[in-house]
Amino acid sequence: MIRHRGALAAAAMACVLALTGCVSVPIKDRAPAPAGEEAAHLSYLDRLKATPVGVPTEAVSSTELPQFVSDSRNVACVFTTSKAGHLNQPWEPNNFGDSANATAPAIPVVNCQMAVYPQPRAGDVVDNCAGTNIGYLGGTALLYPDKVVYGGCRAGVTAVEASVVSKDASNQFAGGFPVLAPGTAMEAQGYRCAPMDTGVACANLTAGIGFFLAANTYELFGPGPAPLPGATTPATAPVR
């Protein structure tokens, strides 16, 4: 009887060994982090890289420059070019087409303007405004292939800000810009922009340079121009 039981046990063990040699038990992978939680740990650059392009790339020679406005209507951007410091842009008349600029190289840029915006931080002021240190205001961002600038010297509001408060129908230019919905990017000339959080982020994906703009804050990332000696601005960054 004992010998019989031993034989049965041996046979059972042989069966188990045979099965373990042929069957693998799958191990369940760790569940992925929720999209919101994962996104909170990513930089704006990484989030831009992961945002699908919903609008085809357009060349700067196009009759209409690639452009968009955020769904909040607070940020409007255009993919354009700069010649000798002059921008080809729809905001207002400029000297881009002057014959003096004909031989200047055309540099691809992204230019954004805002209706409501924070003032520049002291470290981001790059112009002393003709030596006056007065009039360097926020509300604009300019992205070059190798640098990014927030703000600039001007006497009053941005063109987008004027468009919002103006009752003149001829000044409502941003109303004709296509709205770029959150979760969708526009890409042209090697730059990519997309609405994010409460604002808009744009970057040169290859160089890792860009910016994030929102009504109450902004962020510049990647290398940028050094502030000019003597350029000053208030320590705080109030929202206009």
Side-chain angles (χ1 to χ4, degrees):
M1 184 69 172
I2 294 175
R3 183 179 302 172
H4 179 66
R5 288 178 179 174
L8 288 175
M13 180 60 69
C15 180
V16 170
L17 291 174
L19 287 172
T20 55
C22 301
V23 178
S24 60
V25 179
I27 299 175
K28 184 178 294 185
D29 293 332
R30 180 186 299 179
E37 178 183 336
E38 183 179 0
H41 299 288
L42 294 177
S43 66
Y44 286 114
L45 179 64
D46 288 335
R47 291 172 65 183
L48 277 170
K49 290 179 178 178
T51 303
V53 176
V55 179
T57 298
E58 297 181 44
V60 295
S61 59
S62 170
T63 55
E64 182 178 348
L65 296 170
Q67 53 196 232
F68 70 89
V69 65
S70 63
D71 58 350
S72 67
R73 304 302 195 279
N74 188 49
V75 185
C77 298
V78 59
F79 297 78
T80 185
T81 52
S82 173
K83 283 188 176 184
H86 300 287
L87 295 175
N88 180 21
Q89 39 84 0
W91 321 122
E92 53 203 348
N94 61 86
N95 298 321
F96 179 83
D98 288 359
S99 58
N101 302 323
T103 59
I107 301 172
V109 298
V110 174
N111 183 217
C112 295
Q113 290 200 6
M114 308 174 69
V116 180
Y117 47 86
Q119 290 293 68
R121 291 180 284 269
D124 295 326
V125 175
V126 296
D127 196 325
N128 61 22
C129 300
T132 66
N133 291 316
I134 298 174
Y136 195 95
L137 305 175
T140 63
L142 193 56
L143 178 59
Y144 295 89
D146 59 348
K147 66 180 180 180
V148 58
V149 177
Y150 177 73
C153 296
R154 65 174 189 273
V157 299
T158 70
V160 172
E161 188 176 3
S163 175
V164 170
V165 301
S166 175
K167 295 181 180 180
D168 181 1
S170 65
N171 198 32
Q172 303 296 318
F173 67 89
F177 282 26
V179 175
L180 191 58
T184 304
M186 177 178 278
E187 184 174 278
Q189 308 180 109
Y191 301 111
R192 183 178 295 181
C193 294
M196 290 187 181
D197 300 336
T198 58
V200 169
C202 294
N204 175 338
L205 300 184
T206 302
I209 301 169
F211 58 77
F212 169 75
L213 304 175
N216 59 356
T217 188
Y218 74 92
E219 178 182 327
L220 307 181
F221 48 89
L228 293 181
T232 60
T233 194
T236 58
V239 176
R240 282 187 59 87

